[in-house]
Amino acid sequence: MRETSVLENMTTKTLSREDALVQTERILRQLMRSGVSEAELIRQFLTFKRGLPFITLDRACTVGDGIERIQPNDESRLLSLCTKAIAAGRVMKFVPASGAATRMFKSLITLNERPELTIATLQLGANEGNADDIFGVKFFQNIYQFAFFSSLQHVMQANGYDIYVFLAEGKYAKILEYLLTERGLNYAHLPKGLIEFHSYSDATGNFTRTPIEEHLVEALEYTKDTQQSTQHGGAIARVHFTISPEHREAVEYHIATVRGRNEAATATLDIRFSQQKQSTDTVAVTSENEPFLSDDGLHFRPAGHGALLENLNDLQADIVFIKNIDNVVPDRIKSETYRFKRLLCGYLVELQNAVFKYLWVLESGSVSENVLQEILDFARWRLYIELHKTVEEYTPQELQDFLFVKLNRPLRVCGMVKNEGEPGGGPFFVRESDGTTSLQIVETAQIDRNKSEQNRILEQSTHFNPVDLVCGVRNYKGIPFNLLHYRNQNTGFISVKSKDGQELKALELPGLWNGSMAEWNTVFVEVPSSTFHPVKTVNDLLRAEHQTDKHTPFLSFYSEIIMNLETTVSGKVCIVKVQDKRLDAKVAIQFKEKMSELINADNWFLVLDLSNVDFIDSSGLGAIVTSLKILGRRGDLVIAGVKSDVMMMFSLTRMDRVFRIFPTATEAVTALT
């Protein structure tokens, strides 16, 4: 009765009795459809009113104190343990993949909303320090290097547009329209897992892979068993994606088109899907902590990746690899990732073997003093489990019971990367309410930044969480844990959002690898930064790790275009005359290569004669700047014969302040000599 009265008070405030009754009935029908209980609803409201406590950091985890480092002489043993677990069909891969690519294209979406978008407006904004313009300049200067360039070119061509013409003229609005909206690739509204990330070439021709396909390739490498048979007599590799319902059809269609080129005759992919449950959505409130009401009644919002704990729990799995959708790399650098995935798995299996052995001993009730001490030492030094009081204050039975409860819980081994400025939570010893400490992955938002001591500990952090987890989710009897029993409900997040122009407060459940696993046994293991290459923005795909070795996907589009340069030598000066009318994206790469060859042949004083050039775009300008950087301090590069339109581009980009510019090549040679 008390809960119902609280609910009525919250939802009927300021309304007449009749209207309040109608609203209450609407909300109750809504709750019945959603699966959210009134008790859970009230708990969420009370959480808003009381707030969520900050985490109390005790100290940062470092190598030797909370973070383990795998030694070379241990690798073969750990790899063998992993191989046996995989062969037995114990392992699967879990990939949270429901996130939209909106954030990945955030700056481009902002640029696409402008009434005018040209190379000139971008360069002006970039020179003024506008972050979106700087981002846009980099994007368009390197657009050919994106794996999706071919698809973008083809979809524009199908609608009567030549992307090269728009690039050459520096008119970018139409390109973004076909990249971001449903007129073309619709990338701003797709899940990140369906964006073309990497380019490949083999005997069959050129092709690209999305993050989803890269995860399928990984699954075949380190989850493929040898003891399970399919209808074709082969092994099985298991992978589970969490996806949003609106994208399920597109994801399933994509997988159907690509799985055939990855599955071998001896292996089959077992691909499963789930979506975030509606019952995990959380209620929103106003800034005064009153219910935020919409036409349907209460306003519910997805509760963040912590809600995926229920999806993970439903798998009833054994050993689970967890990795974010965007942390994938091309085949050429996958080997290191594979090796450390297996090492983390072997580390977990070795710990599991010891834990399970000790739990059977503890369950038997016949534990000698020496064995009890052995178990205690293992708990302390391998799992960082602390006692609530001194050993002497426990009776032998109390100590056995304590150790049994502490050891009999889910286990996770988390790869940790040295902190080099990437976003992500960090590994810390956290002070619990009972005075003990535990190993936790902590986000900055969970820390009270007004306390200098907490800031000091935060700044001492040496590693961060790349979301590279291997989880053991069955107990010593082979029974799956109920993972919902091992989370800390007080470690969620309250954030400020908006709907229809009105501010609201939203509640996120404890993060999947944060509070949702707070009561797990946790071990941190250092892994190299080479295993972590996330793509948070589209320009991250320009990093060397996401590019092919020597060839980029755009080469085939302009390889037949020859860059015409005429070179003459006058004393120590090399005059490079561009014979083409345009120095643009189609020839920029060739220009850079030819200039690099000249410089590396000890031509250190160069005059670039642009007297034939009528048009230059950002790629051409970038190629000239790159040439100057290649030259370095060994000599000088000056410009000659610049026509008025080209000179305007030099002025807009402030390149006239970087290069000396002369009316003729003769005057430039005189200046250099």
Side-chain angles (χ1 to χ4, degrees), residues 186-259:
N186 203 30
Y187 272 8
H189 304 98
L190 290 183
K192 190 182 287 188
L194 291 181
I195 306 300
E196 293 169 275
F197 266 31
H198 303 138
S199 298
Y200 294 91
S201 179
D202 62 14
T204 65
N206 299 323
F207 63 96
T208 62
R209 282 194 197 140
T210 64
I212 283 179
E213 187 176 1
E214 295 288 16
H215 278 287
L216 297 182
V217 173
E218 287 193 14
L220 284 165
E221 179 64 28
Y222 58 74
T223 73
K224 182 175 63 178
D225 63 47
T226 59
Q227 296 185 9
Q228 303 292 325
S229 62
T230 68
Q231 58 181 343
H232 304 294
I236 301 175
R238 298 169 179 81
V239 59
H240 186 100
F241 295 99
T242 63
I243 57 177
S244 55
E246 63 268 26
H247 296 134
R248 178 158 187 160
E249 183 177 351
V251 170
E252 290 181 338
Y253 176 80
H254 173 64
I255 288 176
T257 61
V258 303
R259 67 183 300 165

Side-chain angles (χ1 to χ4, degrees), residues 585-627:
K586 293 183 181 180
V587 295
I589 297 295
Q590 291 186 57
F591 175 82
K592 284 189 285 188
E593 290 175 349
K594 290 177 181 288
M595 290 295 288
S596 178
E597 290 174 3
L598 287 169
I599 294 168
N600 291 331
D602 296 338
N603 293 292
W604 293 347
F605 293 90
L606 299 106
V607 173
L608 181 60
D609 186 347
L610 300 179
S611 56
N612 286 331
V613 177
D614 296 325
F615 175 84
I616 191 168
D617 69 1
S618 59
S619 296
L621 293 169
I624 297 173
V625 171
T626 298
S627 301

Side-chain angles (χ1 to χ4, degrees), residues 420-433:
E420 297 175 350
E422 295 284 356
F428 292 90
F429 286 92
V430 169
R431 181 66 58 185
E432 305 291 354
S433 58

Side-chain angles (χ1 to χ4, degrees), residues 67 96 101 131 140 157 161 173 219 247 249 254 303 340 346 375 387 407 417 563 585 607 622 634 660 665-666:
I67 300 177
F140 284 107
Q157 189 175 52
Y161 298 108
H247 296 134
E249 183 177 351
H254 173 64
F340 272 89
I375 298 173
L387 300 176
L407 293 177
V417 174
M563 178 77 218
V607 173
R634 292 176 290 181
R660 287 191 289 165
T666 301

Side-chain angles (χ1 to χ4, degrees), residues 20-238:
L21 179 59
V22 171
Q23 189 175 80
T24 296
E25 290 176 337
R26 182 188 301 127
I27 292 171
L28 290 175
R29 288 194 298 270
Q30 179 189 28
L31 290 177
M32 291 178 66
R33 292 193 306 270
S34 69
V36 180
S37 69
E38 289 194 21
E40 173 60 19
L41 179 65
I42 292 168
R43 188 195 69 78
Q44 293 176 18
F45 272 108
L46 293 177
T47 298
F48 281 116
K49 292 179 180 295
R50 296 169 181 168
L52 288 167
F54 287 111
I55 292 288
T56 301
L57 302 180
D58 182 79
R59 63 189 187 277
C61 292
T62 56
V63 174
D65 183 29
I67 300 177
E68 310 304 316
R69 179 176 287 163
I70 295 175
Q71 300 303 314
N73 58 355
D74 293 327
E75 289 195 11
S76 61
R77 183 184 75 257
L78 298 177
L79 292 173
S80 176
L81 288 169
C82 175
T83 298
K84 291 177 182 177
I86 293 173
R90 299 182 60 194
V91 175
M92 72 173 302
K93 186 177 175 73
F94 180 82
V95 185
S98 55
T102 307
R103 292 184 183 179
M104 183 175 167
F105 294 96
K106 180 180 177 182
S107 289
L108 297 184
I109 292 171
T110 300
L111 294 175
N112 194 43
E113 294 171 349
R114 293 184 180 176
E116 181 182 12
L117 184 66
T118 65
I119 178 58
T121 60
L122 272 183
Q123 290 288 3
L124 283 173
N127 292 337
E128 293 171 359
N130 183 282
D132 291 326
D133 290 277
I134 293 171
F135 189 95
V137 168
K138 183 176 181 179
F139 175 82
F140 284 107
Q141 283 181 343
N142 298 279
I143 190 170
Y144 304 94
Q145 297 186 49
F146 292 106
F148 54 73
F149 178 79
S150 177
S151 296
L152 179 59
Q153 184 218 13
H154 290 147
V155 74
M156 292 186 68
Q157 189 175 52
N159 285 274
Y161 298 108
D162 186 343
I163 190 172
Y164 290 111
V165 172
F166 286 98
L167 288 170
E169 295 177 353
K171 297 178 180 179
Y172 298 149
K174 186 63 68 176
I175 296 173
L176 288 188
E177 179 185 357
Y178 275 85
L179 174 70
L180 300 174
T181 74
E182 60 186 10
R183 292 286 301 275
L185 301 182
N186 203 30
Y187 272 8
H189 304 98
L190 290 183
K192 190 182 287 188
L194 291 181
I195 306 300
E196 293 169 275
F197 266 31
H198 303 138
S199 298
Y200 294 91
S201 179
D202 62 14
T204 65
N206 299 323
F207 63 96
T208 62
R209 282 194 197 140
T210 64
I212 283 179
E213 187 176 1
E214 295 288 16
H215 278 287
L216 297 182
V217 173
E218 287 193 14
L220 284 165
E221 179 64 28
Y222 58 74
T223 73
K224 182 175 63 178
D225 63 47
T226 59
Q227 296 185 9
Q228 303 292 325
S229 62
T230 68
Q231 58 181 343
H232 304 294
I236 301 175
R238 298 169 179 81

Side-chain angles (χ1 to χ4, degrees), residues 565-600:
L565 296 181
E566 178 185 274
T567 60
T568 57
V569 177
S570 176
K572 68 175 183 178
V573 179
C574 179
I575 304 168
V576 183
K577 186 171 185 177
V578 180
Q579 299 287 29
D580 299 280
K581 296 294 185 182
R582 303 171 70 90
L583 181 49
D584 58 18
K586 293 183 181 180
V587 295
I589 297 295
Q590 291 186 57
F591 175 82
K592 284 189 285 188
E593 290 175 349
K594 290 177 181 288
M595 290 295 288
S596 178
E597 290 174 3
L598 287 169
I599 294 168
N600 291 331

